[in-house]
């Protein structure tokens, strides 16, 4: 049932053999063995090394897909970019993950859900990279 959330798709479009992405996942996870350890390590990696790109967010036309490679190279991106990169890293490490798109409070937004030891864990990279309070509510419209 989690097979679709362990491979690339239209919104989480990455090359599972990409050396830079593989190196980032390995670096973030270190010697983490369990799904929970990998999830926690990738959450910490995102918090420590990435920022939200306000300029890109203001200049993107509607319907733009996430830029995973660019986000990894520049360490900045929109909510979709940050979430898609995190989902890619989790999937590479064998942790089923979804890119969720919908509303965080009243704002159109993207965030992450991962299946860790049978539980759904949600992580909002946009809020987390800036240490902001998480929105009070999330409403999922679709997921990839």
């Amino acid at each position: 049932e989690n097979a679709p959330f362990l491979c690339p798709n239209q919104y989480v479009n990455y090359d599972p053999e990409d050396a830079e992405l593989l190196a980032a996942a390995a670096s973030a996870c270190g010697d983490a063995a369990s799904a929970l350890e990998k999830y926690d390590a990738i959450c910490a990696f995102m918090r420590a090394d990435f920022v939200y790109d306000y300029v890109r967010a203001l200049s993107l036309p509607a319907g733009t897909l996430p830029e995973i490679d660019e986000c990894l190279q520049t360490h900045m991106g929109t909510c979709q970019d940050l979430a898609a990169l995190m989902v890619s890293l989790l999937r590479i490490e064998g942790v089923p993950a979804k890119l969720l798109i919908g509303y965080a409070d009243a704002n159109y937004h993207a965030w992450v859900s991962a299946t860790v030891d049978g539980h759904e864990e949600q992580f909002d990279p946009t809020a987390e990279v800036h240490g902001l309070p998480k929105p009070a509510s999330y409403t999922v419209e679709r997921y990839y």
Side-chain angles (χ1 to χ4, degrees):
E1 76 187 60
N2 286 322
F5 309 112
L6 286 166
C7 56
N9 62 40
Q10 179 183 7
Y11 271 76
V12 186
N13 189 7
Y14 64 96
D15 176 357
E17 303 296 322
D18 179 88
E20 189 176 4
L21 201 56
L22 289 168
S27 174
C29 290
D31 60 358
S34 72
L36 179 59
E37 291 171 332
K38 291 174 182 180
Y39 173 79
D40 287 342
I42 291 171
C43 289
F45 174 71
M46 295 301 295
R47 275 188 208 104
D49 291 342
F50 290 84
V51 296
Y52 186 78
D53 188 343
Y54 291 95
V55 173
R56 178 171 160 75
L58 292 173
S59 63
L60 283 178
T64 300
L65 294 174
E67 287 288 342
I68 295 168
D69 292 335
E70 184 178 327
C71 184
L72 182 59
Q73 291 167 3
T74 63
H75 288 243
M76 37 190 326
T78 65
C79 61
Q80 283 191 55
D81 300 328
L82 295 167
L85 172 60
M86 183 172 175
V87 168
S88 300
L89 295 171
L90 288 164
R91 289 178 181 181
I92 283 172
E93 288 294 325
V95 179
K98 300 173 191 167
L99 168 69
L100 304 175
I101 297 176
Y103 288 88
D105 293 337
N107 301 309
Y108 203 59
H109 194 51
W111 65 99
V112 175
S113 175
T115 303
V116 180
D117 299 331
H119 301 282
E120 289 295 313
E121 299 288 339
Q122 287 197 16
F123 185 85
D124 184 342
T126 303
E128 294 280 351
V129 299
H130 290 293
L132 300 172
K134 293 179 186 172
S137 67
Y138 291 90
T139 304
V140 177
E141 279 193 342
R142 56 186 195 245
Y143 57 88
Y144 299 92

